Amino acid sequence: MAAEWWKKAVVYQIYPRSFKDSNGDGIGDLNGITEKLDYLKELGVDVIWVSPMYCSPMDDNGYDISDYYKVDPMFGTNDDMDRLLAEAEKRGMKVILDLVVNHCSDEHQWFVKAKQDPDCEEAGYFYFRRKEDGGEPNNWRSNFGGSVWTELPDGRWYFHTFSKKQPDLNWENPKLREKIYEMINWWLEKGVAGFRVDAITFIKKDLTFASRETEDGLRYPIENLTDYPGIGDFLAEMKEKCFDLHDCMTVAEAPGVGEETFRRYAGEHGYFSMIFDFTWENMEGEADKSSVEAVERWKQRILKSQRFTSEIGWNGLFLENHDQSRCVNKYLEKDQIGYAGASAMAVMYFYLYGTPFIYQGQEIGMTNAVWNSIEEMDDVRAKGMYREALEQKKDPQKVLEYFGELGRDNARTPMQWCNEKNAGFTEGTPWLKVNENYQDINVKAQEARDDSLLAFYRRLTALRHQEPYASVFAEGTVRPVMEELPAVIAYEREWNGRTVTVAVNFKKTEQEIPAINGALSAAGNPTEGTCLLSNEGEPERIGERYLLKAYQAVVFDGKMV
Ligand code: GLC
Ligand code: CA
């Protein structure tokens, strides 16, 4: 099973800009990551996913790449990258990179040339259209607001799914595809263990580029055009020419892929090792977040997703990433934010069917920041939407509120290492403001305490690695249990005759659940199950029941009575 090492792995996502600054320029960098490898090792991390650190004008913080082969000076040098890889390897950890190939930067040499000369080879690497009567070639709306088309001085328009500084690459062009594969293999040969694959369901276009009708008469959202017919040819080819040649893991960001299409993407012979299933993970906050009803809705989505993904493929499990607000804010009401809720959510997702991903700061319970103005924000998406609201004469304050709650900057504030200046992230001026609550929420304070969220995360990862449970989680089936109990999310994982039961009470009050028994004794009598993990101490057994406290989460070796 060497090829499936990633099934037992715990992955940690690093947003390099915000993780650790090693040279005082206010921007996190590769040497900063290397400095913190021991911290990650102790946390129980096997694989580090580094968000883009390639040369980039940073319109979308590195998701707009101008040189795929070079580390941006802002983050260090290629030598620093080599050192990071070597130091990680020394500690038995692997590194995966972000693969951003739906688009590049408008400052990439390819696009610079294509702009200058409509007849050059590179002009064929992009989508250019012209309209007789001028005007946008169609009515599609980009993911960051506004048209997907931007006009060049010579009257050509180029296509971009995201910002206008992120021109889409033309995957129809075999030369371009070869260039991409060459680059992927170059990194894999360097010792990178795989990729998180960005926005990959956008790479195939509807080549008619015909305008589409919308109910509100506004632009047609490009996000409705993911996984377009024919995309499989490109993805299968990339797998065959790159991923299959290496023992690597790939996890795709695949918006639009659901139950019907999951197999093609993340089934046994899918294009990728796994995908993130956005049907429940990308949930936007709800007004009554931690009400029983909201938890029940969340539960149904999670269980549904587990049902189909476990039958046909493999999952990347997450509560947070660099595009989401912090999970404690997403799923908990303000007065519930804290250790109990955060650790309960952690248990809930960590032992599901799939590979768990932790996003930087999640392990200490970092929260959303308070945003007072659009100027305080950095996110190109928030700024684009703000501009669009102004253009459409909508209330920009609403946009500000929306992004304050759900915006991507919430996850991008600097990592909170200690209670000193700038939370120990930088000696200089941080590129994005530090969350005011760093005095209370930081690594150093939590390292000093056994009852901190950080200490609990270490126990979480330890159980994920401890045999035979590691095999139960990597190989076992998943089955929902206690489904009728309101706001309880519970499931059994079973493998090779062993059952692990996970139960989480998301109610704000205590609640009874059925007790859990272990194997029969030699005399044939039932034994009590062994509590492997609990965020609030071992639950009290009253006959055939356990009493769980509010937000108590337990993991047992055994089966529900
Ligand atoms: C993905 C990334 C996001 C980025 C976008 C464009 O969704 O996660 O951060 O803005 O792709 O590359
Ligand atoms: Ca720096």
Side-chain angles (χ1 to χ4, degrees):
M1 280 276 132
E4 302 201 329
W5 52 266
W6 31 267
K7 287 194 172 176
K8 285 189 180 167
V10 171
V11 186
Y12 187 92
Q13 182 190 354
I14 292 181
Y15 198 65
R17 230 178 137 93
S18 306
F19 190 60
K20 178 75 178 98
D21 175 22
S22 72
N23 62 353
D25 65 357
I27 300 169
D29 44 51
L30 295 184
N31 287 341
I33 302 176
T34 306
E35 238 176 69
K36 294 294 180 186
L37 284 175
D38 288 328
Y39 167 76
L40 298 173
K41 183 70 193 171
E42 238 176 286
L43 179 57
V45 170
D46 305 292
V47 178
I48 300 161
W49 149 26
V50 185
S51 279
M53 72 311 140
Y54 313 91
C55 279
S56 163
M58 302 288 160
D59 179 55
D60 188 16
N61 289 349
Y63 283 92
D64 47 321
I65 298 173
S66 54
D67 186 344
Y68 286 98
Y69 289 92
K70 232 182 119 209
V71 170
D72 194 282
M74 175 188 276
F75 297 129
T77 62
N78 280 36
D79 287 344
D80 295 340
M81 178 51 102
D82 290 341
R83 212 160 58 81
L84 170 59
L85 292 175
E87 290 295 319
E89 191 180 355
K90 252 191 226 165
R91 291 164 177 80
M93 292 190 277
K94 298 179 198 284
V95 176
I96 67 173
L97 301 182
D98 228 293
L99 182 64
V100 188
V101 287
N102 172 69
H103 47 270
C104 60
S105 160
D106 66 338
E107 296 182 36
H108 192 291
Q109 272 313 302
W110 294 338
F111 194 75
V112 172
K113 286 186 189 155
K115 237 171 33 178
Q116 283 161 358
D117 177 3
D119 300 317
C120 71
E121 179 178 315
E122 288 80 4
Y125 292 2
F126 301 91
Y127 295 104
F128 290 104
R129 291 293 182 273
R130 228 181 239 285
K131 257 185 89 190
E132 294 301 311
D133 58 348
E136 294 167 17
N138 70 19
N139 72 343
W140 299 356
R141 175 175 182 281
S142 99
N143 268 337
F144 290 165
S147 172
V148 297
W149 299 99
T150 293
E151 192 177 16
L152 293 177
D154 66 7
R156 284 179 298 158
W157 295 75
Y158 67 91
F159 183 95
H160 50 89
T161 299
F162 296 91
S163 93
K164 65 174 187 237
K165 285 187 66 66
Q166 295 169 296
D168 279 39
L169 291 165
N170 178 4
W171 276 71
E172 305 292 333
N173 184 327
K175 284 213 178 107
L176 181 264
R177 296 205 303 276
E178 281 310 318
K179 296 263 179 200
I180 291 176
Y181 303 154
E182 219 174 88
M183 177 273 292
I184 294 175
N185 286 324
W186 186 82
W187 280 108
L188 288 170
E189 274 147 32
K190 221 179 192 338
V192 158
F195 296 97
R196 175 268 190 184
V197 188
D198 187 69
I200 199 66
T201 41
F202 287 103
I203 64 169
K204 177 78 185 182
K205 317 297 182 211
D206 166 7
L207 295 171
T208 69
F209 290 114
S211 281
R212 290 174 180 245
E213 262 180 56
T214 58
E215 268 168 31
D216 54 10
L218 297 174
R219 293 194 177 94
Y220 182 83
I222 181 76
E223 70 213 40
N224 295 350
L225 293 176
T226 54
D227 190 38
Y228 202 76
I231 194 171
D233 296 343
F234 299 153
L235 297 177
E237 186 182 76
M238 171 162 64
K239 176 175 193 271
E240 185 197 319
K241 295 199 169 177
C242 306
F243 308 146
D244 279 353
L245 307 180
H246 300 84
D247 178 20
C248 68
M249 84 168 246
T250 51
V251 50
E253 186 200 32
V257 172
E259 185 164 1
E260 296 74 37
T261 40
F262 189 81
R263 186 185 304 278
R264 284 171 29 235
Y265 279 81
E268 211 187 326
H269 303 290
Y271 313 127
F272 304 102
S273 317
M274 64 188 99
I275 67 165
F276 297 122
D277 177 23
F278 288 148
T279 60
W280 68 270
E281 292 164 317
N282 243 9
M283 191 177 98
E284 302 214 324
E286 299 193 44
D288 56 344
K289 320 178 190 210
S290 45
S291 70
V292 169
E293 295 73 30
V295 176
E296 281 296 306
R297 285 196 293 276
W298 196 35
K299 167 163 128 185
Q300 290 320 318
R301 293 158 100 155
I302 295 166
L303 297 181
K304 177 167 181 241
S305 160
Q306 284 282 294
R307 224 166 271 138
F308 76 81
T309 57
S310 65
E311 273 163 25
I312 53 188
W314 194 253
N315 235 334
L317 305 164
F318 71 93
L319 295 175
E320 290 182 13
N321 63 33
H322 65 292
D323 292 330
Q324 302 273 312
S325 55
R326 292 291 184 175
C327 72
V328 287
N329 293 84
K330 246 191 320 188
Y331 302 119
L332 301 171
E333 276 150 38
K334 279 219 167 61
D335 60 346
Q336 302 290 328
I337 292 176
Y339 168 83
S343 56
M345 281 189 273
V347 172
M348 189 283 294
Y349 92 105
F350 223 76
Y351 304 110
L352 289 171
Y353 189 93
T355 297
F357 286 63
I358 302 169
Y359 179 71
Q360 69 185 38
Q362 179 188 322
E363 75 276 22
I364 55 168
M366 278 179 65
T367 70
N368 287 356
V370 177
W371 304 97
N372 305 301
S373 68
I374 191 77
E375 286 73 37
E376 273 188 349
M377 296 187 179
D378 169 80
D379 179 12
V380 56
R381 177 157 181 262
K383 296 204 151 144
M385 300 291 188
Y386 193 83
R387 218 176 318 125
E388 200 176 62
L390 289 177
E391 276 162 25
Q392 295 174 356
K393 309 243 177 316
K394 289 188 189 150
D395 183 4
Q397 194 56 31
K398 288 247 160 62
V399 180
L400 198 62
E401 272 163 33
Y402 175 88
F403 282 96
E405 229 351 79
L406 294 168
R408 308 194 297 176
D409 287 321
N410 284 308
R412 300 176 180 184
T413 60
M415 179 74 181
Q416 292 162 210
W417 293 105
C418 65
N419 66 1
E420 285 152 43
K421 187 177 156 223
N422 297 325
F425 162 71
T426 180
E427 296 285 318
T429 309
W431 71 277
L432 186 67
K433 73 173 193 180
V434 174
N435 193 322
E436 282 104 34
N437 63 18
Y438 72 94
Q439 301 279 355
D440 299 325
I441 301 178
N442 65 68
V443 170
K444 193 150 174 231
Q446 297 199 16
E447 269 179 333
R449 293 195 358 228
D450 286 342
D451 59 354
S452 65
L453 187 63
L454 177 60
F456 187 71
Y457 261 91
R458 287 176 178 164
R459 290 165 59 208
L460 266 186
T461 60
L463 180 59
R464 186 90 207 188
H465 290 136
Q466 181 193 329
E467 293 293 355
Y469 308 112
S471 293
V472 175
F473 300 132
E475 313 288 340
T477 55
V478 61
R479 194 170 74 87
V481 291
M482 310 177 201
E483 263 185 284
E484 69 295 345
L485 294 182
V488 168
I489 303 185
Y491 51 90
E492 277 178 7
R493 303 293 318 269
E494 192 187 337
W495 174 75
N496 212 10
R498 187 178 291 268
T499 305
V500 172
T501 303
V502 177
V504 185
N505 175 25
F506 279 105
K507 231 178 174 180
K508 286 170 233 164
T509 52
E510 54 184 24
Q511 174 162 214
E512 285 190 347
I513 62 165
I516 292 155
N517 278 348
L520 294 183
S521 70
N525 301 318
T527 62
E528 289 190 11
T530 311
C531 184
L532 300 172
L533 191 70
S534 165
N535 60 347
E536 299 278 358
E538 272 204 40
E540 195 187 332
R541 182 164 175 144
I542 313 159
E544 301 285 85
R545 323 280 297 165
Y546 292 123
L547 189 62
L548 293 193
K549 299 180 189 128
Y551 291 106
Q552 185 163 10
V554 292
V555 183
F556 270 86
D557 183 335
K559 241 180 147 77
M560 191 177 95
V561 175

